[in-house]
Amino acid sequence: MKGKLEPSERQKLVEEGKNLKEGLTTLEEDLINLRDELQLEAQCIPNMTHPDVPIGGEDSSKLRNVVGSPLSFDFPVKDHLQIGKELDLFDFDAAAEVSGSKFYYLKNEAVMLEIALVNWTLTEVMKKSFTPLTTPEIVRSSVVEKCGFQPRGENTQVYSIEDSDQCLIGTAEIPVGGIHMDSIVSESSLPLKYVAFSHCFRTEAGAAGTATRGLYRVHQFSKVEMFILCKQEESDMYHDELIKIEEDLFSSLGLHYKTLDMATGDLGAPAYRKFDVEAWMPGLGRYGEISSASNCTDYQSRRLGIRYRPSESPTTSKKGKTNQATPKFVHTLNATACAVPRMLVCLLENFQQEDGSVIIPKPLRPFMGGIEAIYPKSR
Amino acid sequence: MAFQCRLSGATIHSLKMATIPISSSSSRFIFRTLPQTLNHALFSRHTPPKAPPFSVLIRAFSAQAVVAAPAAEISDDKVVKPQWKAAIDFKWIRDNKEAVATNIKSRNSNANLELVLELYDKMLNLQKEVERLRGERNNVANKMKGKLEPSERQKLVEEGKNLKEALTTLEEDLINLRDELQFEAQCIPNMTHPDVPIGGEDSSKLRNMVGSPLSFDFLVKDHLQIGKELDLFDFDAAAEVSGSKFYYLKNEAVMMEMALVNWTLTEVMKKGFTPLTTPEIVRSSVVEKCGFQPRGENTQVYSIEDSDQCLIGTAEIPVGGIHMDSIVSESSLPLKYVAFSHCFRTEAGAAGTATRGLYRVHQFSKVEMFIFCKQEESDMYHEELIKIEEDLFSSLGLHYKTLDMATGDLGAPAYRKFDVEAWMPGLGRYGEISSASNCTDYQSRRLGIRYRPSESPSTTSNKGKTNQAAPKFVHTLNATACAVPRMLVCLLENFQQEDGSVIIPDPLRPFMGGIEAIYPKSR
């Protein structure tokens, strides 16, 4: 229509332009809606799976490692609840009145044990060059979603804050994953290794049944979490590094445990591969999960928008400009270094003595003022 | 920690009822008079919030003649029904009403004492009336046991029926009256220690001063700048992930937080306090019983969606709740706890300059001391608590002043409150790092915590039984041993060196792996 035209020709073109514009507006809206629907459906697709991961349900998980064997006791073994009661270490009853079931107060030496566990774990992991962090425990729900959790699903594990778009975190994985949200990091800065201490809050909706006694399943707990952002080709290697750190920690404390390569049915959408550590809990009479290490490859980073710019390759274009390589998505991994309540169950149940006392593992003693054991208190 | 309590209550300027003879059916009148202004200066000097409007359903009752003018406004007929009752000593309030009125005024409280006394009176009268009617009904019932003429019996049956209806009405009125009385009376702030200065913030009295502002021969930085240069925190990432006033601590700051908490707990435990960690999610009724308003406008409290639970703003709340609704033995007192928890505060209505960096945040770690004791010992424990706090801060080498807070700054639960303000050279002023309150029986009357005094040897009843003394309400006290972010501000700003490093105070070093200072990292 820029050139010189007959009025009738111009008129035809104007009509045609108008029709095209309307047609376009409609199609563009359709495109937006279609993209949204595509996103919604596609986001449901779980991460791919490592070729070595066993296929099947919980029972198909493969044993990777066993350390130690169940301690034998020549006296009747108590569970952690009974030990805690006798040693005045926790109070579930008062917490049930004040807050509800599955809440608790830690008392006396249990407080010092929690602090020692956290302190020792942070110190050990820092030696492996992880940057220590404490994190916000209230986060925007969009960040929770980007990490692969469903804050507002039915039976959600996530507590939401009234009149806001914020939630409580169930794990430090979420606020740590969020640190580098929507950014491009330099390749030279990778790997970024964080060890984060936070309180964690979980509704445990839909978790009725036997595996809920005492400290085993609670709504609030302290946890030290490791998180790695790395180059794509290195995530398998860091997954092995993380599980090794975990195993070293648990071995140092003298725990008997087994490490499992979790089967496909047990992975959860973000994980490419997941190793769980289950420790022997004599009071419960079975193994209980104390830790989990997941390689999420680029599942979370594609949602959180975290990429890295590979170092410039020596190939230059014809015009003499150096090519800036396209940014790639980082791979993210997370692993529990210490989930305090489960550790308390392990320590109390495994190291109980016939006289009712509990021996403190040596590595923790310097972080507890040198205490060697928890003794029954004279009444 | 200064966690101001806010009590909002719609004040109803007058209850208006119509006269109804006892034998006719009762009619309902719904009254609501909105107060013209709500003065909540008790909570915040700068932003008086509006209280949610309340309405009261009052049924017309009894043959007492009252003012006939109709209600000014009528709207929703929500019944004021507190979920729990505070064991308020109405008789004492009535017998000491001048003192109570003076106290309410000097606290800038919006409690309506006149209304409380009026309601109390009405309640007593109504109680008497209810009892009288009950007596009459019993008479009728007794009469009906004997032999009667059919017509006589019929009359008695009628009479009995009328009495029963009237009684039901009055008993409902009594319940509503009690609820309303509770609601109004809960607004009345605690009494005040005679030595507390009367007035606003400026009237607070200096109790103690330790040290003096450090002088620097180089340009002093504030904690935000120090933190940035030493890579100790990240507010920007937290703003994206969570919102403003959130932060990550990094590197040595993490170890400093751990050391501060660990050292503080250790020191306070030496004084015979039982260490605790507490739930950080609690039922909102427990928050209210401690004297806070979870659902007021500009509330400091985060609530959990689809539940009656909230996040705690201080461990005072879950610790106070431990002995809720119980009677402890006198020999178990004093009960002394030192509790570590994370605390969450909305800081709604706290805009302005005093919000920079770590000074005002939504989430922080705190070590709190809490004491339950006998009534006559609370003043003594208040002194003990402030001494513990001062010893802690002196050990760290801080310069601070302790203030006896004036009545306008007390907040409803406190009988007396001592605040500690430490010198923050980067901010260029004193900032509150700690608060120690004696709440006497304000919280315990709401939480229902009493103690049974030991049996006295002198009084035994005629029958030879020993008297069990009536339970008394405990006194409760709370004091901040360590509020981590404010302590970080103090330590970073006071102990900064010219080369950009920060010296760690001696007491904390063993709890941080022996580190003596935080040094700038080579890049």
Side-chain angles (χ1 to χ4, degrees):
Chain A
M1 283 185 16
K2 289 182 185 161
K4 211 164 173 204
L5 296 164
E6 292 287 327
S8 58
E9 275 186 55
R10 182 167 289 277
Q11 189 51 36
K12 255 200 246 166
L13 284 175
V14 164
E15 282 277 337
E16 206 181 330
K18 194 167 137 211
N19 289 338
L20 283 171
K21 181 180 172 179
E22 271 178 38
L24 204 56
T25 306
T26 307
L27 286 192
E28 280 169 344
E29 277 180 41
D30 287 345
L31 187 57
I32 287 177
N33 289 337
L34 201 59
R35 282 208 173 103
D36 286 347
E37 206 191 337
L38 175 61
Q39 257 295 311
L40 182 74
E41 293 300 328
Q43 277 183 21
C44 296
I45 299 176
N47 203 357
M48 295 305 290
T49 309
H50 189 290
D52 293 351
V53 170
I55 301 184
E58 204 177 343
D59 304 321
S60 307
S61 298
K62 198 162 68 190
L63 191 64
R64 247 180 82 92
N65 194 8
V66 180
V67 172
S69 56
L71 284 171
S72 58
F73 292 84
D74 50 12
F75 57 89
V77 152
K78 300 172 191 161
D79 75 356
H80 68 279
L81 269 179
Q82 196 184 346
I83 299 171
K85 199 167 191 145
E86 290 171 8
L87 294 176
D88 198 21
L89 296 178
F90 14 92
D91 191 334
F92 278 85
D93 296 332
E97 292 301 314
V98 171
S99 306
S101 68
K102 300 203 192 66
F103 284 99
Y104 57 98
Y105 297 82
L106 291 184
K107 300 174 73 171
N108 298 311
E109 289 94 335
V111 175
M112 300 161 73
L113 202 41
E114 164 163 332
I115 291 184
L117 277 164
V118 169
N119 223 336
W120 170 73
T121 304
L122 275 170
T123 304
E124 288 299 299
V125 178
M126 278 166 65
K127 290 178 185 167
K128 311 284 208 294
S129 304
F130 284 69
T131 301
L133 290 180
T134 64
T135 78
E137 289 154 13
I138 294 179
V139 297
R140 300 182 201 272
S141 51
S142 56
V143 182
V144 179
E145 288 165 6
K146 289 175 185 178
C147 290
F149 301 98
Q150 270 277 342
R152 291 175 200 274
E154 233 180 80
N155 271 5
T156 177
Q157 278 279 13
V158 182
Y159 283 102
S160 292
I161 305 283
E162 208 172 82
D163 296 332
S164 89
D165 71 338
Q166 293 167 316
C167 315
L168 296 182
I169 62 172
T171 162
E173 176 190 340
I174 299 169
V176 177
I179 291 178
H180 298 288
M181 237 169 40
D182 300 321
S183 52
I184 302 180
V185 299
S186 65
E187 182 174 335
S188 57
S189 65
L190 299 177
L192 288 159
K193 298 158 83 172
Y194 296 109
V195 57
F197 169 60
S198 78
H199 288 185
C200 303
F201 302 90
R202 299 188 182 184
T203 65
E204 298 295 349
T210 45
T212 60
R213 209 162 136 69
L215 289 174
Y216 193 81
R217 195 173 302 276
V218 287
H219 288 304
Q220 171 192 323
F221 57 97
S222 296
K223 180 163 71 60
V224 181
E225 183 81 0
M226 297 180 283
F227 197 97
I228 295 183
L229 299 101
C230 66
K231 289 188 290 197
Q232 299 181 350
E233 56 274 21
E234 296 187 334
S235 55
D236 281 336
M237 174 187 89
Y238 285 118
H239 199 195
D240 285 336
E241 177 176 320
L242 286 169
I243 192 64
K244 172 104 190 5
I245 292 175
E246 288 183 349
E247 290 178 341
D248 286 348
L249 288 169
F250 306 142
S251 295
S252 305
L253 293 178
L255 298 180
H256 158 49
Y257 60 88
K258 52 185 185 175
T259 307
L260 302 166
D261 196 348
M262 302 310 283
T264 49
D266 231 24
L267 281 185
Y272 175 72
R273 192 176 199 184
K274 188 161 87 92
F275 300 142
D276 277 8
V277 177
E278 299 189 354
W280 178 244
M281 300 178 175
L284 284 176
R286 59 178 180 79
Y287 290 89
E289 183 190 326
I290 56 169
S291 150
S292 190
S294 298
N295 178 1
C296 299
T297 63
D298 63 356
Y299 185 97
Q300 293 178 326
S301 59
R302 284 179 177 276
R303 288 154 173 73
L304 291 165
I306 310 175
R307 294 179 294 167
Y308 67 101
R309 198 177 290 287
S311 320
E312 288 166 16
S313 73
T315 56
T316 53
S317 77
K318 299 193 182 80
K319 290 183 183 167
K321 288 195 194 136
T322 34
N323 272 337
Q324 259 215 323
T326 327
K328 297 184 187 180
F329 287 100
V330 299
H331 276 196
T332 63
L333 302 98
N334 64 82
T336 323
C338 177
V340 170
R342 298 274 170 103
M343 294 302 277
L344 289 179
V345 173
C346 283
L347 298 182
L348 294 174
E349 294 189 357
N350 278 291
F351 304 135
Q352 60 183 295
Q353 306 300 306
E354 190 163 12
D355 65 1
S357 64
V358 175
I359 306 283
I360 307 289
K362 292 215 179 75
L364 297 178
R365 295 179 189 182
F367 294 88
M368 280 176 77
I371 292 179
E372 295 183 356
I374 304 175
Y375 297 102
K377 292 148 187 64
S378 43
R379 288 186 176 281
Chain B
M1 205 69 181
F3 191 159
Q4 295 279 16
C5 304
R6 39 184 348 145
L7 289 172
S8 64
T11 53
I12 301 174
H13 295 297
S14 56
L15 276 175
K16 299 170 201 230
M17 289 149 282
T19 308
I20 302 264
I22 231 176
S23 53
S24 69
S25 54
S26 58
S27 30
R28 292 179 198 208
F29 286 72
I30 301 165
F31 301 91
R32 183 157 81 111
T33 309
L34 277 179
Q36 298 297 331
T37 55
L38 286 170
N39 181 6
H40 290 274
L42 177 71
F43 169 74
S44 158
R45 287 175 286 295
H46 305 294
T47 55
K50 291 200 308 282
F54 257 96
S55 58
V56 177
L57 172 69
I58 304 259
R59 288 232 209 92
F61 63 91
S62 92
Q64 293 168 11
V66 288
V67 180
E73 282 176 270
I74 299 178
S75 63
D76 16 288
D77 51 337
K78 274 198 252 170
V79 178
V80 175
K81 207 155 189 59
Q83 289 183 326
W84 49 272
K85 293 228 165 47
I88 294 176
D89 193 343
F90 298 108
K91 185 164 178 303
W92 186 91
I93 291 176
R94 188 187 59 189
D95 295 342
N96 293 276
K97 64 181 181 197
E98 268 100 36
V100 175
T102 307
N103 189 52
I104 288 175
K105 186 141 177 273
S106 60
R107 299 277 197 126
N108 292 324
S109 161
N110 70 328
N112 187 340
L113 180 59
E114 261 180 53
L115 180 59
V116 170
L117 294 175
E118 192 185 317
L119 290 173
Y120 181 57
D121 236 19
K122 287 204 165 77
M123 191 203 73
L124 289 179
N125 288 335
L126 189 52
Q127 246 173 345
K128 279 200 205 124
E129 186 66 15
V130 163
E131 259 141 50
R132 188 181 71 79
L133 283 189
R134 283 195 185 132
E136 276 189 34
R137 189 188 57 180
N138 287 342
N139 277 342
V140 168
N142 284 336
K143 280 191 202 152
M144 282 186 17
K145 288 184 186 158
K147 210 159 174 210
L148 295 165
E149 293 285 330
S151 57
E152 275 188 54
R153 182 165 290 275
Q154 189 52 34
K155 255 199 248 170
L156 283 177
V157 165
E158 281 276 338
E159 205 182 328
K161 193 163 139 221
N162 290 337
L163 282 173
K164 181 178 171 178
E165 273 180 38
L167 203 54
T168 307
T169 307
L170 286 195
E171 280 167 343
E172 279 179 41
D173 288 343
L174 187 57
I175 289 176
N176 290 336
L177 197 57
R178 282 206 173 109
D179 287 346
E180 202 195 340
L181 175 59
Q182 255 297 308
F183 181 74
E184 293 298 327
Q186 278 181 21
C187 296
I188 299 176
N190 203 356
M191 294 307 288
T192 310
H193 190 290
D195 293 351
V196 170
I198 301 185
E201 206 182 343
D202 304 321
S203 307
S204 299
K205 199 163 68 188
L206 189 68
R207 250 180 77 93
N208 193 9
M209 173 98 93
V210 173
S212 55
L214 286 171
S215 58
F216 293 84
D217 49 12
F218 56 92
L219 218 55
V220 152
K221 299 171 191 159
D222 77 355
H223 70 279
L224 270 179
Q225 198 184 346
I226 299 171
K228 198 167 193 145
E229 290 172 9
L230 294 176
D231 199 20
L232 297 178
F233 14 93
D234 192 336
F235 279 85
D236 296 332
E240 292 300 315
V241 170
S242 307
S244 69
K245 299 203 193 67
F246 285 99
Y247 57 98
Y248 297 81
L249 291 184
K250 301 174 71 172
N251 297 313
E252 290 94 336
V254 174
M255 302 162 71
M256 270 183 83
E257 163 162 333
M258 308 254 144
L260 276 163
V261 170
N262 215 342
W263 170 73
T264 303
L265 276 169
T266 305
E267 288 299 298
V268 178
M269 279 165 64
K270 289 178 186 168
K271 311 282 206 296
F273 285 69
T274 301
L276 290 180
T277 64
T278 78
E280 289 153 15
I281 293 179
V282 296
R283 301 183 201 271
S284 51
S285 56
V286 183
V287 179
E288 289 166 5
K289 290 174 186 181
C290 290
F292 303 98
Q293 268 279 343
R295 291 174 200 274
E297 232 180 80
N298 272 5
T299 178
Q300 278 279 11
V301 182
Y302 283 102
S303 291
I304 306 285
E305 207 170 82
D306 295 332
S307 92
D308 72 337
Q309 293 168 317
C310 316
L311 297 180
I312 62 170
T314 163
E316 175 189 342
I317 297 171
V319 177
I322 290 178
H323 297 289
M324 237 167 42
D325 299 320
S326 52
I327 302 181
V328 300
S329 66
E330 182 174 336
S331 56
S332 65
L333 298 178
L335 289 158
K336 298 160 81 169
Y337 296 107
V338 57
F340 168 60
S341 78
H342 288 185
C343 303
F344 301 89
R345 301 188 182 183
T346 64
E347 298 294 351
T353 43
T355 60
R356 212 164 132 66
L358 288 175
Y359 194 81
R360 195 174 301 279
V361 287
H362 288 305
Q363 172 192 323
F364 57 97
S365 298
K366 181 164 68 64
V367 180
E368 183 82 359
M369 297 181 282
F370 198 101
I371 295 183
F372 299 84
C373 67
K374 290 186 290 195
Q375 300 183 346
E376 55 274 22
E377 296 188 335
S378 55
D379 279 336
M380 173 185 89
Y381 285 118
H382 201 195
E383 297 290 332
E384 177 175 318
L385 287 169
I386 190 65
K387 173 108 192 358
I388 293 174
E389 289 183 348
E390 289 178 343
D391 287 346
L392 289 169
F393 307 143
S394 295
S395 305
L396 293 177
L398 298 181
H399 158 49
Y400 61 88
K401 52 186 185 174
T402 308
L403 303 167
D404 196 347
M405 302 310 283
T407 50
D409 230 27
L410 282 184
Y415 176 72
R416 192 176 200 187
K417 185 160 89 89
F418 300 141
D419 278 7
V420 178
E421 299 189 355
W423 178 246
M424 301 178 174
L427 283 177
R429 58 178 181 80
Y430 290 90
E432 183 190 326
I433 56 169
S434 147
S435 191
S437 297
N438 178 0
C439 297
T440 61
D441 62 358
Y442 184 97
Q443 293 178 325
S444 58
R445 282 179 178 276
R446 287 154 174 73
L447 291 165
I449 309 175
R450 294 178 294 167
Y451 66 101
R452 198 175 290 286
S454 323
E455 289 168 14
S456 75
S458 52
T459 55
T460 50
S461 78
N462 293 342
K463 292 186 177 155
K465 293 197 193 130
T466 34
N467 272 340
Q468 262 215 321
K472 298 185 186 181
F473 287 100
V474 299
H475 277 198
T476 62
L477 301 99
N478 64 80
T480 323
C482 178
V484 170
R486 297 273 170 104
M487 294 303 275
L488 289 178
V489 172
C490 283
L491 298 181
L492 293 174
E493 293 190 358
N494 279 289
F495 303 135
Q496 60 182 298
Q497 306 299 306
E498 190 165 8
D499 63 2
S501 64
V502 174
I503 306 284
I504 307 291
D506 281 338
L508 297 178
R509 296 178 186 182
F511 295 87
M512 279 177 77
I515 292 181
E516 294 184 356
I518 306 175
Y519 296 101
K521 293 149 188 67
S522 42
R523 288 187 177 282

